[in-house]
Structures are given as structure tokens and as C-alpha cells.
Amino acid sequence: MNTHFTVFERSLHLERYPAKYQHISLQAWDAADEYIIEHVENCSLFCEPDKIDTPIIILNDDFGALSAWFNDKKPILVSDSWIAHKSVMTNLMINGFDTDNVNFCDALTDLTEIIDKPAKIVLIKIPRSLALLEHQLISLQKVLDEKTTIIAAGKVKVVQNSVLKLFEKYIGATTTSLAKKKSRLIFSKYAGIKTEQSPFPTVVADPLIPFTLSNHANVFCREHLDIGARILLKNLPNALGKSVIDLGCGNGVIGVSILDQNKDAHVTFVDESFMAVESARQNVINHIGSEDRATFIVSNCLEEILKTNSSNYDIVLCNPPFHQQNTITDHVAYQMFTDAKKALKTGGELRIVGNRHLDYPIKLKKLFGGYEVIESNKKFSILSTYKAR
Ligand SMILES: C[S@@+](CC[C@H](N)C(=O)[O-])C[C@H]1O[C@@H](n2cnc3c(N)ncnc32)[C@H](O)[C@@H]1O
């Protein structure tokens, strides 16, 4: 993995978290990070008299390039991703920066509780989800004034009309830079817009489930039930009295169904998205009535569970993700299966749903020694495997 991030002859060592599972071709920054840093440094933005006294807010820093670079400006980092938080923390430490320089916030944090005056500079990496961007622009309105410098960056293919329209709608007049290394900057001027009613969370109903699902902006399949989740819902194991993990829980549809169908089951909901785990919590409260039979953990795969409480679970259910930030990858699924094996009791079951073209069967065979196909159609399979020892 290339870890030397260099702009204007200043270098940082940057890694993607978790380094040991990453493909060698991946790096912890992209051209949009370089572009935004070059622009801020070229304009000597932090030297302008009214910008010396921060606050500066950084949104959606993927793996810490922006937070590490500007760490001495004491930025507030806003990200929905636990992995992004962990990457920033790791990269601050690797480079010998004080981790207290960065104020870590999830994307549901009310920024008025963090700063009591308008932000001077806001730097935004355009997220994969337009809904998350919309939520973030609405949340930002409370901490902007007409003097705030707002600069966003993303790959050219991401900086589309739909993105610019959101800036125009929620911030104000918006322009873009020339493209450089297939990336573009967005400049937006706050026009004092106040949005009274956020469209989030949204609610989804589906005949397959006897409850509605509340979804914060960045939740996977926020507007409908995922096809993989549908097949898994039709093939849930008997979990009476069992201790179950819903791994990569999203809005919690799988785990809430387990709680609904198995009165004595306990479900631990795990996701790396703060918004997902918060949505799952809300859906448990809404449908089950209390959190007594549920635990909620924000974590990369099962890392946070395995720190304290390994080999205690009867069943792990998983509809694995294909992405880490903007990159398509299968390393997350692989870590999920590896962690699941560690978290299961001897005799415990991992049950997954997967697209048939993926090599999940090979991975399960390698890790568990075998697997059973519970159900299969043209696109998806439900695979089950047990921990022998
Ligand atoms: C395919 S979705 C499944 C969501 C839900 N369980 C369902 O079936 O609709 C995968 C989920 O894994 C989460 N995820 C992605 N990477 C993760 C990681 N490294 N650790 C934990 N969860 C992760 C995503 O945020 C997403 O909610």
C-alpha cells in the first residue's frame, strides 16, 4: 500500500484502517483530498485575519488525510463512519500528532452543542450517499454565517448536478473549479437559509415484515428492503433463547425480526455506521417496545465485541457489504466471517446471504471447513456454516 501522502513537499504517512485487511493497491487518500489541501494552502486561507481564530469543520474525511493535515487548526471532524474515526485517530498517532487536536463527532451530533460561534471554514468530502449530504447541509446551517468559507471536493463523476442543487438549495450560490486529476472543488456561500423540517429519518413499510423501519439519512437501503435481506428474512434460523449478532445491521431489519419471532432471544446489533446503529435502536424501541433484549455497538466488523466478550454467541446473521467508503472490496466480508468465527461458541452458526457471483463459499470453506446451501435462486444464496471448535 502506498502510504506516503505528499503535498507541497510536506509528507504524511497515511494508512487505511484496518491496514492488515486492505488490498495492496488501495491508499488512504484521493486526488480530491490533494486538491482541497492545495487550494487551502495556496490561498493561505488560515492566514486571513478572520480565519486565524477557528472553528474549522471537516466533514466525511475518509481516512484522515484532511484531519491529519489540518490537525493543528483543532478541527471538528464529522463522520458517520466508525472506520473513518478510527483511521483519523490511527493516522494522527502514526504521524506523532496529538489526538486531542481533533474533536470527533458522528453525523447525528448537534454542532451547536460543540461550537458556540459560526464556523470560519468548512471542508466537505462529498459522501457516497446524497441523502447523507442533504442531512449534513441542513445540520450545518445552524453553524454558518455569510463569512464562512465552504469548500467541498469530490471526484468529477461525483460532483454532479444533483450535488450542486443540494448546495444551492440548502447553502446558497455555488460554483465549481476546473477539474484536476479527475477531481473538482465546490465553493458555496451561505445565504442564511434555514430549513425547518429535515426529510430524515424516513420510514419504510414492506408486506414482508410486520413493522415499519425508521432510517437515518446514511442507512443502507433507506427507501426499500434490500433483495438480499428479503431472502435472509425468509430463511431465518430458530433463535428461541439464543444470543444472536446482526452483523452489518443497517436499520436492524434482520435483528428486529429475530426479536419479533423469538421471544427469549437477545440480539446484538453491530454496524460501522453510527446512523445505522441509531436507526436499529429506534426500530427495536418502536417495534419491540424496549431495548431489554438488545445491545447496540458501533464497530468495524466485530472488533469492539472481541475486545471483551469473545466466543459467547449462538448465531451470527450477516448480509455483508461490498464497499469500504467509495471502494468496492470484499475484504470487509472476509473480516466479518473471520470475526464471526471468533465470536461464536463451539457449535454456533454463521448464516449469510450473498450474491452468487461472489466467492463467499470459498471463504467459508477456508475458515470453517465447509458450509451448507440453505436456499438459492438465480442471484443469491443463503449459506450456513458451524464453528466446529
Ligand atoms: C448490505 S448492508 C446490510 C444491512 C442490513 N443488515 C440489511 O440486510 O438490509 C451491509 C451493512 O454493513 C455495514 N458495514 C459496512 N462495513 C462495515 C464494517 N466494516 N463493519 C461493520 N459494519 C459494516 C454497512 O453500513 C451496512 O449497513
Side-chain angles (χ1 to χ4, degrees), residues 83 220 229 248-250 253-254 271-273 299-301 319-321 332 336:
I83 291 171
F220 171 80
C249 62
V253 60
I254 303 295
D271 204 289
E272 79 95 23
S273 153
S299 167
N300 173 40
C301 303
N319 176 7
V332 184
M336 284 182 165

Side-chain angles (χ1 to χ4, degrees), residues 32 154-160 178-184:
K155 295 205 170 107
V156 167
K157 62 175 186 211
V158 172
V159 181
Q160 293 184 347
L178 292 174
K180 193 166 162 186
K181 289 197 202 162
K182 295 190 182 150
S183 295
R184 214 185 273 289

Side-chain angles (χ1 to χ4, degrees), residues 49 71 75 106 115 123 125 131 139 152-153 168 179 186 189 217 252 292 295-296 318 330 332 338 344 370 376:
N71 80 91
D106 66 56
I115 49 175
L123 305 178
K125 280 295 288 294
S139 309
E168 298 270 0
I186 299 171
K189 199 101 201 101
D292 292 355
T295 305
F296 302 91
C318 184
D330 65 355
V332 184
T338 310
L344 284 169
S376 190

Side-chain angles (χ1 to χ4, degrees), residues 137 144 150 166-173 188-193:
L137 296 180
L144 302 178
I150 303 161
L166 288 180
F167 277 90
E168 298 270 0
K169 178 172 178 187
Y170 294 112
I171 303 295
S188 204
K189 199 101 201 101
Y190 185 52
I193 303 163

